């Protein structure tokens, strides 16, 4: 075994050439608890914000993970081009599963993917991540009607109704849009817990944590909660 392991998830620089293991190993992943993994994501976001990302050797990560993957988390986030989960938390190939859908809502297919990620593949964190200035949230507030998007935006409706907010409850008010985005993360977390007996049981046992986060596209900060 190499003396130095350097999975980027662990925030260890992949300096050097071939001697270092570039992707998260099963041993490394299994040593981490859900709270450790969230702490590592926070550190990765800090590196991103400071412009001190790990020097990713994607080719080495690709080769190291080709024979097996041991991701630590599954992230559900929005399709927004400005909120790429791996980039903003300085994660590499093999570090996390990633489901993206406008407005980061959960449906049966996404929940099934989370069940696979955690129960079968051993991921320990389900992170639902919303973001500021979310177009899907704005569209839901404005009741946009457009093909299949109509049905998707309907799934955000409960979060709008559940958002307590004094003031202008329109899509023009970013304060309200961001408050709904945050509530939408909370609603989605509860939804996942309620609809998946598998994930709820894993959470009760402490093996898995369902967590939430909001990404601020102006500051680059990922704020974790829940
Ligand atoms: Zn969005």
């Amino acid at each position: 075994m190499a003396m130095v392991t350097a999975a980027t998830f662990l925030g260890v620089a992949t300096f050097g050439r071939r001697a270092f293991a570039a992707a998260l190993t099963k041993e490394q992943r299994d040593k981490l608890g859900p709270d450790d993994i969230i702490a590592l994501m926070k550190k990765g976001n800090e590196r991103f914000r400071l412009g001190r990302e790990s020097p990713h050797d994607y080719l080495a990560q690709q080769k190291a993970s080709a024979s097996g993957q041991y991701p630590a988390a599954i992230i559900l986030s929005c399709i927004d081009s400005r909120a790429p989960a791996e980039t903003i938390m300085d994660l590499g190939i093999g570090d996390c599963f990633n489901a993206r859908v406008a407005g980061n809502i959960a449906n049966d297919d996404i929940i099934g993917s989370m069940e696979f990620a955690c129960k079968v593949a051993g991921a320990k964190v389900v992170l639902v991540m919303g973001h500021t200035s979310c177009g899907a949230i704005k569209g839901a507030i404005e009741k946009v009607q457009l093909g299949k998007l109509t049905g998707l935006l309907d799934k955000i409706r409960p979060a709008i109704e559940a958002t307590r907010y004094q003031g202008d409850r329109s899509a023009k008010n970013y304060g309200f849009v961001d408050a709904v985005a945050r509530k939408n993360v909370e609603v989605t977390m509860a939804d996942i817990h309620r609809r998946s007996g598998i994930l709820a049981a894993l959470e009760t046992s402490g093996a898995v944590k369902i967590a939430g986060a909001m990404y601020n596209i102006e500051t680059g900060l990922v704020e974790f909660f829940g």
Side-chain angles (χ1 to χ4, degrees):
M1 190 184 146
M3 294 257 302
V4 179
T5 52
T8 52
F9 197 97
L10 301 176
V12 182
T14 47
F15 296 123
R17 283 168 289 187
R18 291 175 296 149
F20 305 133
L24 201 59
T25 65
K26 184 172 190 306
E27 189 187 21
Q28 287 169 334
R29 193 270 311 272
D30 290 349
K31 267 191 224 160
L32 300 169
D35 289 334
D36 301 324
I37 292 162
I38 290 168
L40 288 167
M41 288 172 156
K42 282 183 190 167
K43 284 205 156 162
N45 176 244
E46 194 181 342
R47 290 194 300 277
F48 166 74
R49 279 184 288 123
L50 294 171
R52 293 187 193 145
E53 298 93 340
S54 307
H56 293 273
D57 184 342
Y58 288 122
L59 196 58
Q61 291 171 8
Q62 173 258 314
K63 288 183 192 314
S65 59
S67 60
Q69 60 168 342
Y70 308 101
I74 174 158
I75 301 168
L76 168 59
S77 57
C78 182
I79 60 168
D80 197 294
S81 67
R82 302 163 296 177
E86 281 101 335
T87 306
I88 63 176
M89 287 187 280
D90 195 26
L91 303 174
I93 293 172
D95 284 342
C96 65
F97 292 102
N98 192 348
R100 293 180 72 169
V101 61
N104 42 271
I105 52 90
N107 61 19
D108 281 353
D109 300 325
I110 285 172
I111 292 173
S113 302
M114 290 171 170
E115 290 172 341
F116 168 77
C118 295
K119 187 75 180 179
V120 181
K124 297 176 183 177
V125 171
V126 174
L127 181 69
V128 181
M129 185 171 73
H131 67 98
T132 59
S133 307
C134 180
I137 301 289
K138 284 190 233 172
I141 293 167
E142 288 178 332
K143 300 191 174 73
V144 167
Q145 306 269 310
L146 177 73
K148 304 293 185 199
L149 182 62
T150 305
L152 169 54
L153 298 183
D154 279 347
K155 295 188 170 75
I156 299 172
R157 191 69 39 79
I160 300 171
E161 283 156 17
T163 301
R164 287 196 207 123
Y165 189 85
Q166 303 292 323
D168 177 17
R169 292 175 68 94
S170 83
K172 291 189 186 73
N173 179 2
Y174 279 89
F176 179 59
V177 172
D178 295 349
V180 173
R182 188 185 174 106
K183 179 57 74 178
N184 184 49
V185 169
E186 293 171 6
V187 168
T188 303
M189 287 163 65
D191 212 22
I192 293 163
H193 195 276
R194 191 182 65 249
R195 289 165 63 183
S196 172
I198 290 171
L199 293 171
L202 285 169
E203 190 167 49
T204 302
S205 75
V208 165
K209 187 165 191 175
I210 300 172
M214 273 292 286
Y215 176 58
N216 186 315
I217 62 167
E218 285 179 21
T219 65
L221 177 69
V222 179
E223 180 203 350
F224 287 78
F225 56 89

